[in-house]
Amino acid sequence: MKIGVLLKEVVVCDAALHLDADHGWVQEKDSRYQANPGDLHALEVALAYKDREDTQVVLVSLGLASHQQYLKDALARGADRAVLISHAEPHRLEPLAVAKELAAVCNEEKFDLLLAAVQSDDRGDGQVPLLVAECLRLPHFSMVVEIDSQQPLRAKREWESGYYQWIKSPLPLLMTVQSGINKPRYASMKGVMAAKKKPIEVRATSVAEVSTYSLLSIGLPPKQKETRFLSGSMREIALQLLRELKLR
Amino acid sequence: MSKILVLLELAGQGADVAISRHSLEVVAAAQQLAPQELHLCLLGHGLHAVIQKTLGWKANRLHYLDDPRLARYQYEPLVRIAQQLIEQLHPTLVLFPHSYQCRDYAPRLACRFQRSLLSDVMKIEDHNDTWHLQRPLFQARAIATISAPQSAITFVSLQQGCWNSEDLAVADAALPAAVLPTDFLRDEWLTAVEEPVRETAKNNRLQQAKRVLSVGRGVGSAENVERLKLLATQLQAEIAASRPVCDEGWLPSSVQVGSSGQTLAPELYLAFGISGAIQHLIGMKGSRKVIAINRDKNAPIFAIADIGVVGDLMELANALLAELQLGGE
């Protein structure tokens, strides 16, 4: 089987953001980067196939040519090679523009299965994988939480309010997976060494850009409530909270 | 001038089927944009009562299809039928509730018109020849304002809870209704779907709790979760969690709060190490009072918190436990 994994680099979101209003994004120098956490679950699904049967795992990404660490990490975890479509300002591209670029690569590669996350931590458009599927006229399953590996492929998808549903489809197919589906493996020392010889093919964009809307501004979200921040030592804060809860 | 199409979504099963509350919010939002014409689209099966109710709304036309082949949601027929309707109507704006279902088919539908979906939109304004829209970035830590020209079609999904379903305007005269053609219905598609099954029922204990202590990814380990369970008991609160904590298996999914889990509105919601991703906020923003502790003072949870503590959640938990004379550091 030949599996493509759509991978994306994102800004680490658990620290304070340094917005760059002029460029409508974050300040590159003050930000830390990593693979989109959800993408690692998609990669893990692919690597689990590779553990069981003869499988080639190819990473397909669009991003800055100067940032390749997330791809090296994914290769160290066990992917075979990577294709990086280089773009100087990936955050400026609309989801459909990104999808067309990715679809062009996938079209050449002829994957049996395409895997991706449900959404990215940065833009959270939640649609690039499905747009890729539509461009390639492939069926899709979204928000998959469990896979039944029989043919034709059968998987369990998540709905709102605790509902789940089994879906099946023949391959080729695209799937977006939820974070609860597995625990991504870490790279072994051997994997890190092996990754040094694995190719990352950097190529230019190949499709005419889609541009239908424009970014006017970026800012911090409005406060919906006036938050009273407690200060003092942790003990003093704890006492204030207990009084608030009428337990003191 | 603008023509708006709203794609309505159903909720519930069998005799309980109704238009989702989130869809009502979208209709209210569309009415407030005061379009020249407002069109509604409804696809499903067993819709007689639902349609009767819809006919009372202030709009220009309802387009519907009530067919057993639409009994279970599947993206393929929805995309095809909506595509045909849009090709005939030429709306300038197509609105969806930003639900799981929308996220499954709206991108593919937009793609057929060479568009992306502007997803999870929190605000939309009519600026004569352009729409101005706001949507979250970086998991609601930032907001982008985007403009889209009204000369072309725009596909937008609206975030839950940003409009009020009670604002939906009704009319005196019944809404004209038109049945959509069945040409695009098929018995089989590439994907085959089984009946959806509810695996995690409503957690009544959690639903009825006056106080909820909710644990987020910031908790870091299963041992710390045990400590917070002890604290919850001492604070007379029920324990709950955000998705990452349940994904880790530190707490069962029956206590997961958010769009895929429980929706709660307790008197007090204690958020321990929850950053406040929108999927979580949907499940708790009706809480009367929110107390949040997080290391990042810009975490989105503080936008809806009454009382905030910036710091390490375990330090606070241990200080609380110590004061409650249960040991701790």
Side-chain angles (χ1 to χ4, degrees), chain B residues 122-141:
Chain B
M122 307 154 76
K123 197 172 176 184
I124 178 163
E125 289 172 349
D126 185 347
H127 284 239
N128 296 319
D129 52 356
T130 54
W131 305 110
H132 282 196
L133 311 106
Q134 288 192 344
R135 69 177 303 277
L137 288 178
F138 305 108
Q139 302 190 303
R141 278 159 201 258

PDB file of all heavy atoms in Angstrom, chain B residues 122-141:
ATOM      1  N   MET B 122     -17.639  34.199  13.306  1.00  0.00           N
ATOM      2  CA  MET B 122     -18.294  34.684  14.522  1.00  0.00           C
ATOM      3  C   MET B 122     -19.068  35.968  14.288  1.00  0.00           C
ATOM      4  O   MET B 122     -19.862  36.391  15.135  1.00  0.00           O
ATOM      5  CB  MET B 122     -17.229  34.954  15.584  1.00  0.00           C
ATOM      6  CG  MET B 122     -16.319  33.770  15.821  1.00  0.00           C
ATOM      7  SD  MET B 122     -14.731  34.308  16.447  1.00  0.00           S
ATOM      8  CE  MET B 122     -15.220  34.675  18.121  1.00  0.00           C
ATOM      9  N   LYS B 123     -18.800  36.626  13.168  1.00  0.00           N
ATOM     10  CA  LYS B 123     -19.446  37.912  12.908  1.00  0.00           C
ATOM     11  C   LYS B 123     -19.448  38.118  11.395  1.00  0.00           C
ATOM     12  O   LYS B 123     -18.452  37.827  10.730  1.00  0.00           O
ATOM     13  CB  LYS B 123     -18.613  39.016  13.574  1.00  0.00           C
ATOM     14  CG  LYS B 123     -19.344  40.334  13.737  1.00  0.00           C
ATOM     15  CD  LYS B 123     -18.479  41.256  14.586  1.00  0.00           C
ATOM     16  CE  LYS B 123     -19.103  42.631  14.715  1.00  0.00           C
ATOM     17  NZ  LYS B 123     -18.198  43.535  15.449  1.00  0.00           N
ATOM     18  N   ILE B 124     -20.558  38.598  10.869  1.00  0.00           N
ATOM     19  CA  ILE B 124     -20.608  38.902   9.440  1.00  0.00           C
ATOM     20  C   ILE B 124     -21.377  40.200   9.247  1.00  0.00           C
ATOM     21  O   ILE B 124     -22.441  40.393   9.831  1.00  0.00           O
ATOM     22  CB  ILE B 124     -21.204  37.719   8.621  1.00  0.00           C
ATOM     23  CG1 ILE B 124     -21.300  38.065   7.139  1.00  0.00           C
ATOM     24  CG2 ILE B 124     -22.554  37.266   9.154  1.00  0.00           C
ATOM     25  CD1 ILE B 124     -21.476  36.856   6.240  1.00  0.00           C
ATOM     26  N   GLU B 125     -20.806  41.105   8.457  1.00  0.00           N
ATOM     27  CA  GLU B 125     -21.441  42.404   8.211  1.00  0.00           C
ATOM     28  C   GLU B 125     -21.489  42.670   6.718  1.00  0.00           C
ATOM     29  O   GLU B 125     -20.572  42.312   5.978  1.00  0.00           O
ATOM     30  CB  GLU B 125     -20.631  43.525   8.877  1.00  0.00           C
ATOM     31  CG  GLU B 125     -20.722  43.522  10.390  1.00  0.00           C
ATOM     32  CD  GLU B 125     -19.762  44.526  11.029  1.00  0.00           C
ATOM     33  OE1 GLU B 125     -18.882  45.064  10.318  1.00  0.00           O
ATOM     34  OE2 GLU B 125     -19.896  44.743  12.236  1.00  0.00           O
ATOM     35  N   ASP B 126     -22.556  43.352   6.317  1.00  0.00           N
ATOM     36  CA  ASP B 126     -22.751  43.726   4.917  1.00  0.00           C
ATOM     37  C   ASP B 126     -22.167  45.125   4.707  1.00  0.00           C
ATOM     38  O   ASP B 126     -22.668  46.089   5.271  1.00  0.00           O
ATOM     39  CB  ASP B 126     -24.266  43.708   4.644  1.00  0.00           C
ATOM     40  CG  ASP B 126     -24.590  43.968   3.189  1.00  0.00           C
ATOM     41  OD1 ASP B 126     -23.680  44.398   2.445  1.00  0.00           O
ATOM     42  OD2 ASP B 126     -25.742  43.745   2.793  1.00  0.00           O
ATOM     43  N   HIS B 127     -21.068  45.238   3.975  1.00  0.00           N
ATOM     44  CA  HIS B 127     -20.468  46.542   3.666  1.00  0.00           C
ATOM     45  C   HIS B 127     -20.688  46.856   2.187  1.00  0.00           C
ATOM     46  O   HIS B 127     -19.736  46.995   1.426  1.00  0.00           O
ATOM     47  CB  HIS B 127     -18.976  46.547   4.022  1.00  0.00           C
ATOM     48  CG  HIS B 127     -18.712  46.654   5.493  1.00  0.00           C
ATOM     49  ND1 HIS B 127     -17.988  47.654   6.067  1.00  0.00           N
ATOM     50  CD2 HIS B 127     -19.118  45.876   6.527  1.00  0.00           C
ATOM     51  CE1 HIS B 127     -17.941  47.491   7.388  1.00  0.00           C
ATOM     52  NE2 HIS B 127     -18.623  46.407   7.685  1.00  0.00           N
ATOM     53  N   ASN B 128     -21.950  46.939   1.812  1.00  0.00           N
ATOM     54  CA  ASN B 128     -22.370  47.217   0.434  1.00  0.00           C
ATOM     55  C   ASN B 128     -21.850  46.228  -0.596  1.00  0.00           C
ATOM     56  O   ASN B 128     -22.545  45.302  -0.948  1.00  0.00           O
ATOM     57  CB  ASN B 128     -22.033  48.654   0.043  1.00  0.00           C
ATOM     58  CG  ASN B 128     -22.821  49.624   0.907  1.00  0.00           C
ATOM     59  OD1 ASN B 128     -23.999  49.395   1.168  1.00  0.00           O
ATOM     60  ND2 ASN B 128     -22.170  50.668   1.385  1.00  0.00           N
ATOM     61  N   ASP B 129     -20.615  46.397  -1.061  1.00  0.00           N
ATOM     62  CA  ASP B 129     -20.160  45.458  -2.083  1.00  0.00           C
ATOM     63  C   ASP B 129     -19.241  44.367  -1.531  1.00  0.00           C
ATOM     64  O   ASP B 129     -18.765  43.536  -2.297  1.00  0.00           O
ATOM     65  CB  ASP B 129     -19.483  46.207  -3.242  1.00  0.00           C
ATOM     66  CG  ASP B 129     -18.410  47.151  -2.741  1.00  0.00           C
ATOM     67  OD1 ASP B 129     -18.265  47.271  -1.495  1.00  0.00           O
ATOM     68  OD2 ASP B 129     -17.712  47.741  -3.577  1.00  0.00           O
ATOM     69  N   THR B 130     -19.011  44.384  -0.231  1.00  0.00           N
ATOM     70  CA  THR B 130     -18.204  43.305   0.362  1.00  0.00           C
ATOM     71  C   THR B 130     -18.838  42.816   1.671  1.00  0.00           C
ATOM     72  O   THR B 130     -19.591  43.532   2.315  1.00  0.00           O
ATOM     73  CB  THR B 130     -16.760  43.759   0.717  1.00  0.00           C
ATOM     74  OG1 THR B 130     -16.850  44.915   1.543  1.00  0.00           O
ATOM     75  CG2 THR B 130     -15.928  44.056  -0.497  1.00  0.00           C
ATOM     76  N   TRP B 131     -18.525  41.585   2.025  1.00  0.00           N
ATOM     77  CA  TRP B 131     -18.857  41.066   3.356  1.00  0.00           C
ATOM     78  C   TRP B 131     -17.616  41.232   4.214  1.00  0.00           C
ATOM     79  O   TRP B 131     -16.514  40.965   3.745  1.00  0.00           O
ATOM     80  CB  TRP B 131     -19.194  39.562   3.301  1.00  0.00           C
ATOM     81  CG  TRP B 131     -20.275  39.175   2.357  1.00  0.00           C
ATOM     82  CD1 TRP B 131     -20.136  38.476   1.186  1.00  0.00           C
ATOM     83  CD2 TRP B 131     -21.676  39.417   2.502  1.00  0.00           C
ATOM     84  NE1 TRP B 131     -21.356  38.287   0.593  1.00  0.00           N
ATOM     85  CE2 TRP B 131     -22.326  38.857   1.376  1.00  0.00           C
ATOM     86  CE3 TRP B 131     -22.456  40.071   3.460  1.00  0.00           C
ATOM     87  CZ2 TRP B 131     -23.712  38.911   1.191  1.00  0.00           C
ATOM     88  CZ3 TRP B 131     -23.836  40.126   3.273  1.00  0.00           C
ATOM     89  CH2 TRP B 131     -24.448  39.554   2.153  1.00  0.00           C
ATOM     90  N   HIS B 132     -17.826  41.655   5.465  1.00  0.00           N
ATOM     91  CA  HIS B 132     -16.720  41.654   6.419  1.00  0.00           C
ATOM     92  C   HIS B 132     -17.006  40.554   7.434  1.00  0.00           C
ATOM     93  O   HIS B 132     -18.083  40.544   8.042  1.00  0.00           O
ATOM     94  CB  HIS B 132     -16.587  43.002   7.129  1.00  0.00           C
ATOM     95  CG  HIS B 132     -15.932  44.039   6.267  1.00  0.00           C
ATOM     96  ND1 HIS B 132     -15.413  45.202   6.766  1.00  0.00           N
ATOM     97  CD2 HIS B 132     -15.709  44.069   4.935  1.00  0.00           C
ATOM     98  CE1 HIS B 132     -14.887  45.903   5.771  1.00  0.00           C
ATOM     99  NE2 HIS B 132     -15.071  45.236   4.655  1.00  0.00           N
ATOM    100  N   LEU B 133     -16.046  39.665   7.597  1.00  0.00           N
ATOM    101  CA  LEU B 133     -16.273  38.508   8.471  1.00  0.00           C
ATOM    102  C   LEU B 133     -15.150  38.378   9.502  1.00  0.00           C
ATOM    103  O   LEU B 133     -14.007  38.736   9.219  1.00  0.00           O
ATOM    104  CB  LEU B 133     -16.300  37.214   7.645  1.00  0.00           C
ATOM    105  CG  LEU B 133     -17.185  37.198   6.415  1.00  0.00           C
ATOM    106  CD1 LEU B 133     -16.341  37.295   5.163  1.00  0.00           C
ATOM    107  CD2 LEU B 133     -18.009  35.946   6.379  1.00  0.00           C
ATOM    108  N   GLN B 134     -15.500  37.862  10.670  1.00  0.00           N
ATOM    109  CA  GLN B 134     -14.475  37.587  11.674  1.00  0.00           C
ATOM    110  C   GLN B 134     -14.452  36.097  11.980  1.00  0.00           C
ATOM    111  O   GLN B 134     -15.509  35.486  12.145  1.00  0.00           O
ATOM    112  CB  GLN B 134     -14.762  38.363  12.959  1.00  0.00           C
ATOM    113  CG  GLN B 134     -14.503  39.846  12.783  1.00  0.00           C
ATOM    114  CD  GLN B 134     -14.489  40.589  14.099  1.00  0.00           C
ATOM    115  OE1 GLN B 134     -14.939  40.087  15.107  1.00  0.00           O
ATOM    116  NE2 GLN B 134     -13.959  41.797  14.076  1.00  0.00           N
ATOM    117  N   ARG B 135     -13.247  35.556  12.043  1.00  0.00           N
ATOM    118  CA  ARG B 135     -13.105  34.141  12.399  1.00  0.00           C
ATOM    119  C   ARG B 135     -11.887  33.960  13.301  1.00  0.00           C
ATOM    120  O   ARG B 135     -10.949  34.746  13.242  1.00  0.00           O
ATOM    121  CB  ARG B 135     -13.030  33.238  11.162  1.00  0.00           C
ATOM    122  CG  ARG B 135     -11.774  33.355  10.320  1.00  0.00           C
ATOM    123  CD  ARG B 135     -11.779  32.347   9.165  1.00  0.00           C
ATOM    124  NE  ARG B 135     -11.912  30.981   9.617  1.00  0.00           N
ATOM    125  CZ  ARG B 135     -10.911  30.220  10.049  1.00  0.00           C
ATOM    126  NH1 ARG B 135      -9.675  30.689  10.053  1.00  0.00           N
ATOM    127  NH2 ARG B 135     -11.119  28.984  10.457  1.00  0.00           N
ATOM    128  N   PRO B 136     -11.905  32.904  14.148  1.00  0.00           N
ATOM    129  CA  PRO B 136     -10.777  32.719  15.061  1.00  0.00           C
ATOM    130  C   PRO B 136      -9.547  32.159  14.362  1.00  0.00           C
ATOM    131  O   PRO B 136      -9.655  31.473  13.346  1.00  0.00           O
ATOM    132  CB  PRO B 136     -11.322  31.699  16.069  1.00  0.00           C
ATOM    133  CG  PRO B 136     -12.404  30.970  15.352  1.00  0.00           C
ATOM    134  CD  PRO B 136     -12.977  31.907  14.340  1.00  0.00           C
ATOM    135  N   LEU B 137      -8.389  32.481  14.909  1.00  0.00           N
ATOM    136  CA  LEU B 137      -7.114  31.901  14.490  1.00  0.00           C
ATOM    137  C   LEU B 137      -6.431  31.378  15.745  1.00  0.00           C
ATOM    138  O   LEU B 137      -6.727  31.844  16.845  1.00  0.00           O
ATOM    139  CB  LEU B 137      -6.204  32.971  13.877  1.00  0.00           C
ATOM    140  CG  LEU B 137      -6.548  33.531  12.508  1.00  0.00           C
ATOM    141  CD1 LEU B 137      -5.527  34.607  12.153  1.00  0.00           C
ATOM    142  CD2 LEU B 137      -6.568  32.452  11.442  1.00  0.00           C
ATOM    143  N   PHE B 138      -5.470  30.480  15.579  1.00  0.00           N
ATOM    144  CA  PHE B 138      -4.669  29.979  16.702  1.00  0.00           C
ATOM    145  C   PHE B 138      -5.561  29.555  17.855  1.00  0.00           C
ATOM    146  O   PHE B 138      -5.370  29.959  18.999  1.00  0.00           O
ATOM    147  CB  PHE B 138      -3.650  31.038  17.161  1.00  0.00           C
ATOM    148  CG  PHE B 138      -2.768  31.532  16.054  1.00  0.00           C
ATOM    149  CD1 PHE B 138      -2.928  32.802  15.534  1.00  0.00           C
ATOM    150  CD2 PHE B 138      -1.806  30.699  15.506  1.00  0.00           C
ATOM    151  CE1 PHE B 138      -2.131  33.250  14.492  1.00  0.00           C
ATOM    152  CE2 PHE B 138      -0.999  31.139  14.467  1.00  0.00           C
ATOM    153  CZ  PHE B 138      -1.170  32.426  13.960  1.00  0.00           C
ATOM    154  N   GLN B 139      -6.569  28.758  17.561  1.00  0.00           N
ATOM    155  CA  GLN B 139      -7.465  28.212  18.574  1.00  0.00           C
ATOM    156  C   GLN B 139      -8.063  29.312  19.439  1.00  0.00           C
ATOM    157  O   GLN B 139      -8.047  29.248  20.662  1.00  0.00           O
ATOM    158  CB  GLN B 139      -6.728  27.194  19.431  1.00  0.00           C
ATOM    159  CG  GLN B 139      -6.176  26.077  18.571  1.00  0.00           C
ATOM    160  CD  GLN B 139      -5.663  24.953  19.402  1.00  0.00           C
ATOM    161  OE1 GLN B 139      -4.807  25.163  20.242  1.00  0.00           O
ATOM    162  NE2 GLN B 139      -6.175  23.772  19.172  1.00  0.00           N
ATOM    163  N   ALA B 140      -8.571  30.331  18.762  1.00  0.00           N
ATOM    164  CA  ALA B 140      -9.297  31.442  19.392  1.00  0.00           C
ATOM    165  C   ALA B 140      -8.395  32.385  20.187  1.00  0.00           C
ATOM    166  O   ALA B 140      -8.882  33.222  20.932  1.00  0.00           O
ATOM    167  CB  ALA B 140     -10.456  30.942  20.251  1.00  0.00           C
ATOM    168  N   ARG B 141      -7.064  32.270  20.012  1.00  0.00           N
ATOM    169  CA  ARG B 141      -6.181  33.229  20.671  1.00  0.00           C
ATOM    170  C   ARG B 141      -6.090  34.521  19.873  1.00  0.00           C
ATOM    171  O   ARG B 141      -5.570  35.527  20.342  1.00  0.00           O
ATOM    172  CB  ARG B 141      -4.786  32.643  20.842  1.00  0.00           C
ATOM    173  CG  ARG B 141      -4.715  31.753  22.043  1.00  0.00           C
ATOM    174  CD  ARG B 141      -3.553  30.792  21.948  1.00  0.00           C
ATOM    175  NE  ARG B 141      -3.812  29.679  22.831  1.00  0.00           N
ATOM    176  CZ  ARG B 141      -3.248  29.530  24.029  1.00  0.00           C
ATOM    177  NH1 ARG B 141      -2.394  30.392  24.475  1.00  0.00           N
ATOM    178  NH2 ARG B 141      -3.561  28.497  24.781  1.00  0.00           N
TER     179      ARG B 141
END
